[in-house]
Amino acid sequence: MSDPKVEKEAGPAEPAKETTPEPEKRKREYKDFGEEDDKPTHAKVDMSQIQLKAEDLYDKEKVDLETIVVDDVFKLLQCDENGLTDEEATRRLELFGPNKLESEEQNPFFQFLSFMWNPLSWVMEAAALVAIALSNGEHRPPDWQDFVGIVTLLLINSGIGFYEERNAGNAVKALMDSLAPKAKVKRAGNWREVESSLLVPGDMISFKIGDIVPADCRLTEAINVSIDQAALTGESLPQGKKTGDQCFSGSTCKQGEAEGVVISTGPNTFFGRAANLVGQDDDTTGHLQKILAQIGSFCLVVIGIFVLAEIFCLYAGFRYTYRRGLDNILVLLIGGIPIAMPTVLSVTLAVGAQQLAKYKAIVTRITAIEELAAVTILCSDKTGTLTTNKLTIDRDTIRTYGPFSGEDVVLLAAYASRTENQDAIDTCVVGAIGDPSRARAGIKLLDFKPFNPVDKRTEITYLEESSGKLKRVTKGMTGIIIELCTRNKTDDIENRLEADVIEFAQRGLRALAVAYEEVDGTDPEGEGNGFELIGLLAIYDPPREDTKQTIDDAIGLGVKVKMVTGDQLAIAKETGRRLGLGDHMYPAKVLKDGPEPGSRFRNLDEMILDADGFAGVFPEHKYEIVKRLQALGHLCAMTGDGANDAPALSRANVGIAVEGATDAARSAGDIVLTEPGLSTIVHAIRGSRIIFQRMRNYAIYACAVTIRIVVCFAILAFAFKFDFPPFMVLIIALLNDGTIMTLSVDRVLPSNTPDSWDLAEIFAYAVAYGLYLTISTVALVAIIIRTSWFYDKFGVTLSGGAHQAIDHNDHQLHTIVYLQVAIISQALIFITRSHGFFFMERPSFALMGAFCIAQLISSIIAAYGNWGFTQVEAISGGWIGIVWVWDIIWFFPLDLIKFAMKATIIKSLRERHNAALAKEVKETGVPMTRTTSRAASIHESLYSNRVSFIRRAARKVGFGQKISMKPEELQRFSSIQAARTGSVLARHPSRPS
């Protein structure tokens, strides 16, 4: 005990100050990661003059409710620590609105009707009207058979779309539900409990451990407060809060109790901004809907041209009667439009969603599957997504300064940790030793001092049972621990420690120092022989086990991965290095300031594309990153787990909520993972590309059939005055679409690069196939009408024993044409589904079986279908055999047409595309990825218009509710808070002027 006394006398005995220029030992700060010298500021305006203009309040140089001193907050919000009066609170409630989020409710009836408001549906509806209303003439009844068939298909299509949309995630509702329902507030000097929706700016509130913070506030009193805001900001650790700090609405108090003054409520809070961003994305037209619109428009143009041609030719040229011409037009309308396209694609996607569920991925918006296949960039949140969101000791970076090994240091640190009621640090330290019981094995606990904000360390005094000695271990903040270490506090140790702490901080690791001493005697409160620094532990949020492999797999599939996190830059870089993502990370401020002058980036877009990730981002930053990447033509997927990810999840083409995500994230996401990690995403990408191939095959088929039906029957009408019955076209469409439904389970191979809808290629293939099939039918009809060749060779006859079709509208000729068109049109799917020869890629049993059944039905109809109402008559087995052989002969050259198209027109289209891309890169320096969702077009506006039209109609008849949240400029959140709160109070002051 004498040594410490000698040391105490040594200080004042030194007279050296007077003789030398003071080589005094510098004060070491050991500034750990995350420590910042944030000092409160004063508003740079005269706070006695509250009449501020809104533009002043937007200026953070003048006032910022986040950082100005609390006294200025009280002045600006015209309140004090006794709280508001009931009258003032009521007045402010009218000014600022309730402290909750509101969303528009859409009437289900109008929502169902909205699916009948698009170009494809318009043509279906027009055909139905023509069949039931306009065709009622010339002493003939309405064409009710066609009418019933068309309306049935229309209702099925609308029903599937309605079901899908009603089951989509309601992101705003989930955010609203997670707001605290009750709040403790001081009104007129008295504390009371009220609904959190009644809080207003200027209210005094209090909360304690376990409570949800009910509104954004500045703390006026804080006792050992720790706030978990990971779900809001993405920060891994609960944040310690002191007087003057801001707490966010929706965060959870993990420790202590506090009082604060409310600075913003409802949509103006940090939490409300997230909900607002989710709700403000008014792009109600999905990517698949845009593709459908363009394919539909292609079909409409083809149909429109030939309908006009028929009107002029048949009526003006051939002087057709009204009803006869109308029947020909109906054939084009019914047969030309891909009536069941939305239904076929919806079923394909729904089956795909069931297949993805096997990989523990729940699809909440089935059209997202198609967009996932085309995704080129995956923006991933870090905390809880790439990482486990569970703090861990990094054993590879443990530093030791004494005789103890790294494992000994971890074990001693575990001794100095709680085993019950643990905070995040104690949990990770005890978890590092594997078996938590080892934290008390072989020792007898005599005294324990838990962590507190003043001492910033924990301490245990224990009896080592094996030796019978009393020992003491402490762990905590580096600067505090080293000051206790009297035994080995040398310049060498301090230099090493300082260097290690700096290295940890640069790598985003939090440092935890551990010291040890022995205690003489048996008194657990006795003085020890002096602490000795024995080690420094690095604490970090580790990547998930499968994350690195998942990222490598994603890159192998042509998907670039970017990290977008609310955590600090150093942490983001370290995580990026560990995952192989790279460390070209930038702070969020570059999104506002742009690249620095003289940097290698010419503009912000180029910087965003090059970056491996961004750190310190707020919800609007994530949203802005996704929006900018989409503006460059990329389809983006965004993963996340917290409420702070919800806006970007909603904006992204595919939002992916990982396992353990909050309700807000799950509702905003399109795909919800139910297993930890991201490996499911790779399965989902591969699965979505298989589904995409099925849809692309169908799109080519549908467009080809449109051209085949429209051009074929128009030419037959022009050349031979051939009037094909409309009902038989409907039968062809029904059988075709029933067979094509089985494409949803067809065998296809996924591509190794992101898929995209190259509509020029699809239309080129469709035109080639359609015209070829048209020739096959026209040639058959021409031979039957102009010659008796089939009678001469095979002895087959037509109605009344005719050797050739003298009557161009012979009922048996109608049946022959029906069978020929039905067989070869449906067989076309085997050509469009294969990349090589059709027989080299085996179809699924379901597709082959459905094709055989459909052709059996078609052959039976041809053999026995004496339907006078639709002008068809059964044909002989000889004619059925002739038609089958005819179609088989014409079928085989289709593969040659496919190869010729690839070698000529398709090759030319791709070369032009690549040349245009290279030119754009050369001019702008930014590699652009052209996708069909890059810009709005007339086709897309027709589809998005259906929603706005129905909304207007709903409001006019009183079904709609008023939207309470308006889109704002994407500015820094605190400035919006200041503007909303201060400017309203300025216009409505409570004090007399």
Side-chain angles (χ1 to χ4, degrees), residues 298 302 700 703-704 707 762-772 901:
F298 171 81
V302 173
I700 296 175
C703 292
I707 293 174
I762 290 175
F763 296 153
Y765 277 123
V767 169
Y769 295 146
L771 293 179
Y772 176 80
M901 289 291 295

Side-chain angles (χ1 to χ4, degrees), residues 349-366 368-369 372 639 654-660 666 669-688 691:
L349 291 170
V351 172
Q354 292 175 357
Q355 293 169 344
L356 290 181
K358 297 177 183 177
Y359 296 109
K360 307 298 182 184
I362 299 171
V363 180
T364 60
R365 180 175 65 89
I366 63 173
I369 298 173
L372 184 59
T639 69
V654 183
I656 303 170
V658 299
E659 189 267 341
R666 285 198 296 267
D670 305 308
I671 297 175
V672 179
L673 307 186
T674 58
E675 270 192 354
L678 295 179
S679 59
T680 306
I681 292 179
V682 174
H683 293 301
I685 290 175
R686 289 197 182 102
S688 67
I691 295 163

